[in-house]
């Protein structure tokens, strides 16, 4: 023990036990304790982060959807991924996200503010939907989401020049305006009938909101379809007075099977026809002068054409007088040289039992007498400043295009049509064109429109007074117009590019988009890209016959190249199939047409409509159903008098009387089909 000796200021004497030095043997224990403490702290920290990540993960879930910073996935009730969307226009800042009820919302990307949400909606027990909205707050920023399409086969969107069923995606395409276009002149654009709706074989559907400045692109290397909203470098416009801030909003819905989810989407999001056109238009063929005479039409040829229809004992719902019955495009009076007594011609047609319709279009060429009138009255679509009419080039020249957002233009156009009907007893009109590609890239209309395809909608409305018998070739949100919709002209070829093989995929696509009163193009096509026989330019004879057989099972038939231009055998085949159409097909179609007004369900249906779990049925593009109980399998290959046929499970009876009672799908290979036959099967 040490002793402290008194001394120094305030010193005292105290007994003290001196500290002892640690021995080297105790130092490892201290180190281990420190390490242990650090590990405990790390473990607690990790646990906290783990709990936070679980909470964040739970936060970013809503029903069967999982959100992450780069996109989201959707699962079906069985847990399988059925839909994936990646964000291409920004990465979400997940710390800005919150959840309230079934609404997930985020306020930032990593570099800017935005409004984003996903809301779960369960409209019925068998359907789960998600409302998605990404709104930019800074002008001229594009919003882009990329959908992976590898999970299923997809259908819908738009008609195209090369039509496949399901959708076939090739190459790469930067997002471009999803607007109506004339695909006969512009083969790489979207067609004249389109809707921003797609449906997949795994019972998933996506519908883009109509308010979106929508652009569509694709990449077959990445296996993605790009859905983009933008105003920059685009014909889409914001509302007057609004900043050009893009918004991409849409719904994704998942159901139990492809047929039921489509039925739900059509009932919820599509217009329905408000009536059924005239029954005779379904029962008897339309006869057009176009493919036979083109613009070289006159009074004598029209009367001769009508006389031959009767001579060869064919029925006629109406006779269509096509292009160039006027002197100039944009006039509404018959050319007195080609039609010296048009009134007498119409009286003769009427006395012989013919109703006649006329070809019409929205253009007024600059050399027409009406051009000056329309300029003075401001009836044309105008250039962006709105001060001058915009000249447009179309397939028959240069002129103005009537502005159907302008009530005065609508009234003027309607008055011209009424005058033709009153003076000559015209039954209806074939409304040609209407696609947005005939508008200038930059334009203005009396009533501003955000979406250029809304011009197509306004044009189709002009057919409403004539919709018992009217014909349209373009459509956008126009399902309720209740006219016959005709896909654009087909070439007289066999293939998928506007040829015979394109008809079934095109009709199925239009049907899925809600257009059910379908008029396929003229039998045999337009007599272009064809074979010359003798002094006539005619489609290939075999092609013509196969086209005729297929068209007999469509909702309506249209002749232009008449069968008597070939030989007696072709005439007899034509009589056989117009009779079959009237006796077998038309009654079924009319029954289904009456249901369309309420349901919107297709009249012409894909095989998967009754075979929803059948992988093979999803890919068949050369067979189709009329309703649920009539299956058609035409021959679409040259030189063939047989074909492979796929029969879904069920009880079927062939047109030859054979019966197939099968519990599993059946392939009939090399099934014989003579040149004057088409294979069809009825559900027993």
């Amino acid at each position: 023990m040490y002793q402290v000796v008194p001394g120094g200021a305030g010193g005292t004497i105290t007994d003290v036990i001196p500290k002892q030095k640690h021995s080297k043997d105790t130092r490892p224990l201290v180190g281990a304790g420190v390490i242990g403490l650090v590990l405990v702290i790390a473990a607690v920290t990790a646990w906290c982060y783990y709990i936070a990540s679980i909470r964040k993960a739970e936060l970013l879930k809503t029903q069967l959807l999982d959100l992450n910073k780069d996109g989201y996935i959707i699962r079906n009730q069985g847990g399988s991924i059925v839909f994936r969307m990646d964000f291409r226009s920004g990465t979400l800042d997940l710390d800005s996200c919150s959840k309230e009820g079934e609404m997930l919302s985020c306020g930032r990307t990593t570099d800017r503010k935005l409004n984003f949400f996903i809301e779960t909606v369960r409209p019925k027990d068998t359907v789960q939907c998600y409302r998605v909205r990404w709104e930019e707050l800074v002008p001229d920023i594009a919003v882009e989401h990329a959908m992976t399409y590898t999970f299923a086969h997809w259908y819908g969107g738009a008609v195209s020049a090369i039509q496949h069923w399901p959708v076939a995606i090739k190459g790469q395409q930067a997002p471009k305006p999803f607007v109506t276009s004339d695909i006969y002149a512009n083969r790489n654009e979207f067609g004249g009938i389109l809707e921003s709706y797609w449906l997949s074989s795994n019972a998933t559907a996506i519908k883009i909101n109509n308010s979106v400045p929508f652009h569509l692109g694709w990449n077959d290397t990445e296996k993605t379809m790009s859905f983009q909203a933008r105003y920059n470098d685009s014909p889409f416009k914001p509302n007057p007075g609004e900043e050009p801030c893009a918004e991409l909003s849409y719904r994704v819905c998942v159901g139990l099977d492809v047929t039921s989810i489509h039925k739900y989407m059509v009932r919820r999001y599509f217009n329905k026809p408000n009536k059924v056109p005239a029954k005779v238009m379904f029962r008897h063929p339309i006869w057009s002068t176009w493919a036979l005479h083109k613009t070289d039409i006159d009074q004598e040829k029209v009367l001769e054409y009508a006389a031959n229809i009767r001579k060869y004992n064919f029925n006629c719902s109406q006779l269509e007088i096509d292009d160039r019955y006027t002197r100039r495009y944009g006039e509404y009076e018959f050319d007195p040289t080609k039609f010296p007594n048009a009134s007498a011609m119409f009286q003769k047609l009427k006395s012989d039992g013919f109703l006649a319709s006329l070809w019409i279009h929205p253009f007024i060429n600059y050399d027409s007498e009406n051009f000056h009138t329309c300029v003075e009255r401001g009836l044309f679509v105008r250039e962006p400043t709105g001060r001058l009419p915009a000249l447009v080039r179309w397939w028959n020249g240069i002129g103005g295009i009537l502005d159907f957002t302008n009530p005065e233009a609508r009234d003027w156009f309607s008055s011209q049509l009424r005058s033709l009907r009153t003076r000559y007893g015209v039954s209806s009109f074939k409304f040609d064109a209407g696609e947005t590609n005939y508008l200038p890239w930059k334009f203005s209309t009396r009533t501003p429109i955000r979406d250029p395809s809304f011009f197509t909608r306004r044009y189709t409305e002009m057919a409403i007074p004539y919709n018992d018998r009217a014909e349209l070739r373009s459509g956008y949100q126009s399902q309720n117009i209740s006219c016959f919709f005709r896909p654009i002209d087909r070439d007289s070829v066999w293939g998928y590019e506007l040829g015979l093989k394109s008809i079934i995929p095109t009709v199925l696509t239009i049907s899925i988009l809600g257009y059910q009163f379908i008029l396929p193009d003229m039998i045999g096509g337009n007599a272009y890209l064809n074979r010359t026989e003798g002094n006539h330019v005619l489609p290939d004879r075999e092609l013509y016959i196969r086209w005729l057989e297929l068209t007999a099972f469509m909702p309506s038939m249209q002749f232009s190249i008449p069968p008597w231009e070939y030989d007696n055998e072709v005439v007899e085949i034509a009589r056989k199939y117009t009779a079959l159409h009237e006796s077998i097909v038309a009654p079924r179609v009319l029954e289904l047409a009456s249901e369309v007004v309420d349901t919107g369900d297709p009249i012409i249906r894909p095989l998967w409509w009754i075979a929803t779990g059948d992988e093979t049925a999803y890919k068949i593009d050369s067979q189709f159903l009329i309703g649920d109980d009539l299956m058609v399998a035409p021959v679409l290959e040259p030189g063939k008098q047989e074909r492979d046929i796929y029969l879904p499970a069920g009880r079927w009876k062939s047109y030859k009387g054979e019966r197939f009672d099968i519990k599993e799908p059946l392939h009939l290979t090399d099934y014989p089909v003579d040149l004057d036959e088409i294979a069809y099967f009825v559900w027993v």
Side-chain angles (χ1 to χ4, degrees):
M1 176 179 291
Y2 289 97
Q3 185 180 34
V4 179
V5 177
T12 57
I13 299 172
T14 309
D15 291 337
V16 178
I17 300 175
K19 291 183 179 179
Q20 297 182 0
K21 294 182 178 180
H22 291 289
S23 68
K24 293 182 179 180
D25 295 334
T26 64
R27 291 178 181 176
L29 296 175
V30 175
V34 172
I35 293 171
L37 180 60
V38 170
L39 291 174
V40 168
I41 294 172
V44 170
T45 303
W47 177 255
C48 291
Y49 275 111
Y50 174 69
I51 294 298
S53 66
I54 289 178
R55 289 175 178 171
K56 178 62 72 174
E58 289 301 316
L59 171 69
L60 300 178
K61 288 180 181 288
T62 174
Q63 298 293 329
L64 300 171
L65 181 146
D66 294 350
L67 174 69
N68 61 63
K69 62 184 178 64
D70 297 314
Y72 62 90
I73 61 170
I74 298 174
R75 304 176 188 272
N76 61 17
Q77 295 290 346
S80 299
I81 296 175
V82 294
F83 189 84
R84 173 180 168 178
M85 190 74 88
D86 295 327
F87 303 144
R88 294 291 175 85
S89 48
T91 301
L92 289 180
D93 177 0
L94 298 184
D95 289 333
S96 73
C97 299
S98 61
K99 183 176 181 182
E100 182 175 349
E102 296 300 334
M103 173 88 75
L104 277 172
S105 58
C106 305
R108 290 190 58 84
T109 66
T110 53
D111 63 353
R112 64 186 182 276
K113 292 183 178 180
L114 84 161
N115 289 329
F116 171 83
F117 73 76
I118 297 178
E119 180 183 16
T120 302
V121 181
R122 194 171 182 85
K124 54 192 299 187
D125 291 341
T126 57
V127 176
Q128 182 108 326
C129 293
Y130 303 90
R131 294 176 57 221
V132 182
R133 178 182 174 188
W134 180 304
E135 179 188 8
E136 289 291 347
L137 303 178
V138 179
D140 295 324
I141 294 179
V143 184
E144 184 174 335
H145 293 180
M147 181 189 78
T148 301
Y149 60 76
T150 55
F151 298 110
H153 306 289
W154 286 87
Y155 315 90
V159 297
S160 58
I162 302 175
Q163 195 84 53
H164 291 286
W165 179 270
V167 173
I169 296 176
K170 296 182 179 179
Q172 289 80 43
Q173 171 63 56
K176 61 182 180 179
F178 191 70
V179 294
T180 58
S181 182
D182 176 352
I183 52 172
Y184 196 83
N186 306 280
R187 298 290 171 105
N188 295 320
E189 297 302 317
F190 304 112
I193 299 176
L194 90 174
E195 303 290 337
S196 53
Y197 168 71
W198 288 266
L199 172 74
S200 83
S201 58
N202 64 9
T204 306
I206 180 169
K207 176 69 177 70
I208 311 297
N209 287 0
N210 294 331
S211 60
V212 171
F214 183 54
H215 297 65
L216 179 67
W218 54 87
N219 187 316
D220 70 348
T221 301
E222 296 181 351
K223 306 300 180 188
T224 56
M225 292 173 61
S226 296
F227 301 137
Q228 187 189 78
R230 75 169 192 262
Y231 292 111
N232 189 33
D233 187 30
S234 170
F236 289 87
K237 303 173 185 177
N239 285 328
E242 290 184 358
E243 292 280 354
C245 295
E247 173 194 315
L248 181 60
S249 53
Y250 54 91
R251 289 202 181 204
V252 181
C253 293
V254 182
L256 296 181
D257 60 72
V258 60
T259 300
S260 63
I261 192 62
H262 177 67
K263 286 184 176 184
Y264 168 77
M265 298 297 285
V266 167
R267 285 158 175 74
R268 178 66 179 82
Y269 297 112
F270 286 3
N271 294 321
K272 310 295 184 304
N274 53 35
K275 59 180 290 187
V276 178
K279 293 181 179 180
V280 69
M281 298 290 288
F282 294 93
R283 291 175 176 147
H284 296 160
I286 300 165
W287 296 78
S288 169
T289 63
W290 170 248
L292 182 64
H293 295 296
K294 302 295 191 294
T295 59
D296 189 24
I297 189 68
D298 60 34
Q299 184 167 325
E300 182 181 350
K301 289 175 181 174
V302 170
L303 293 174
E304 181 185 15
Y305 194 44
N308 280 330
I309 294 171
R310 290 289 181 251
K311 174 183 175 181
Y312 289 96
N313 298 317
F314 287 99
N315 289 319
C316 175
S317 60
Q318 67 185 23
L319 176 61
E320 194 172 83
I321 302 173
D322 213 286
D323 192 354
R324 211 51 194 263
Y325 56 88
T326 61
R327 287 185 302 171
R328 299 178 183 89
Y329 295 107
E331 297 176 357
Y332 300 90
E333 185 51 81
F334 280 82
D335 182 342
T337 302
K338 300 172 76 173
F339 295 85
N341 195 336
S343 295
M345 179 188 73
F346 277 94
Q347 290 173 4
K348 172 63 173 171
L349 290 173
K350 184 177 180 180
S351 66
D352 290 342
F354 289 95
L355 294 176
S357 66
L358 296 178
W359 176 76
I360 206 74
H361 55 81
F363 307 105
I364 311 292
N365 276 12
Y366 69 89
D367 60 350
S368 164
E369 292 180 358
N370 287 321
F371 184 81
H372 182 69
T373 299
C374 292
V375 170
E376 279 194 331
R377 295 179 59 179
L379 305 185
F380 288 139
V381 172
R382 306 177 78 80
E383 45 78 42
T385 68
R387 293 191 294 268
L388 296 172
L391 289 180
V392 299
R393 180 181 293 277
W394 62 297
W395 67 90
N396 277 330
I398 298 174
I401 184 169
L402 290 168
D403 178 3
F404 293 105
T405 75
N406 180 351
E408 292 181 36
R410 294 163 67 88
D411 290 345
W412 182 84
F413 185 71
S414 295
S415 70
Q416 307 304 315
L417 303 189
R418 285 196 302 271
S419 176
L420 286 167
R421 171 177 266 189
T422 301
R423 184 169 182 180
Y424 300 111
V426 172
S427 63
S428 191
F429 297 92
K430 171 186 176 179
F431 291 81
D432 213 353
E435 300 91 349
T436 62
N437 68 290
Y438 291 111
L439 296 170
W441 176 251
K442 298 292 184 181
F443 65 92
S444 65
T445 51
R446 174 67 64 86
T447 303
I449 54 177
R450 299 180 62 181
D451 181 348
S453 292
F454 195 69
F455 180 85
T456 298
R457 163 69 196 190
R458 281 287 180 245
Y459 178 57
T460 61
E461 290 171 352
M462 303 308 298
I464 290 175
Y466 310 97
N467 58 12
D468 268 355
R469 295 170 171 270
E471 174 186 331
L472 286 161
R473 86 171 195 189
S474 58
Y476 176 68
Q477 302 175 35
S478 305
Q479 298 93 337
N480 64 319
I481 303 301
S482 300
C483 292
F484 284 93
F485 285 85
R486 174 185 64 89
I488 203 165
D489 301 39
R490 307 285 110 172
D491 286 324
S492 298
V493 296
W494 290 89
Y496 285 102
E497 183 173 351
L498 296 178
L500 178 61
K501 284 186 179 179
S502 72
I503 292 179
I504 295 174
T506 299
V507 169
L508 289 174
T509 298
I510 294 171
S511 296
I512 288 297
L513 298 180
Y515 297 87
Q516 309 308 339
F517 307 138
I518 300 170
L519 173 63
D521 195 41
M522 299 164 289
I523 292 167
N526 55 20
Y528 295 143
L529 304 177
N530 48 35
R531 186 179 74 192
T532 301
E533 293 189 357
N535 296 323
H536 298 283
V537 177
L538 297 175
D540 174 78
R541 182 178 184 274
E542 181 188 8
L543 173 68
Y544 183 88
I545 292 170
R546 293 305 192 191
W547 207 304
L548 165 63
E549 292 163 354
L550 169 58
T551 303
F553 285 85
M554 291 291 164
S556 57
M557 301 180 70
Q558 185 178 57
F559 285 99
S560 191
I561 298 292
W564 54 83
E565 291 290 311
Y566 292 94
D567 51 51
N568 289 334
E569 182 184 12
V570 175
V571 172
E572 288 303 318
I573 293 173
R575 288 197 190 110
K576 170 183 174 181
Y577 281 99
T578 54
L580 182 148
H581 177 84
E582 183 176 0
S583 62
I584 295 179
V585 177
R588 278 181 167 82
V589 169
L590 282 167
E591 182 180 356
L592 293 163
S594 65
E595 299 173 5
V596 166
V597 176
D598 296 322
T599 67
D601 289 347
I603 293 172
I604 305 298
R605 301 173 180 176
L607 258 61
W608 51 250
W609 193 265
I610 61 170
T612 57
D614 190 333
E615 175 63 23
T616 301
Y618 293 138
K619 297 179 287 187
I620 290 178
D621 67 351
S622 63
Q623 299 175 220
F624 60 93
L625 296 163
I626 302 175
D628 288 346
D629 61 354
L630 179 56
M631 195 272 289
V632 186
V635 173
L636 305 174
E637 299 281 352
K640 297 288 187 181
Q641 296 199 25
E642 69 281 327
R643 64 155 292 165
D644 293 345
I645 295 174
Y646 187 75
L647 277 181
R651 302 177 66 186
W652 298 96
K653 180 181 178 181
S654 80
Y655 69 106
K656 298 178 181 180
E658 307 151 311
R659 291 182 175 269
F660 301 88
D661 190 353
I662 50 176
K663 296 182 180 179
E664 298 290 335
L666 177 65
H667 287 272
L668 302 175
T669 58
D670 294 329
Y671 187 83
V673 186
D674 291 341
L675 181 60
D676 65 343
E677 294 181 328
I678 182 172
Y680 62 94
F681 300 77
V682 178
W683 185 280
V684 180

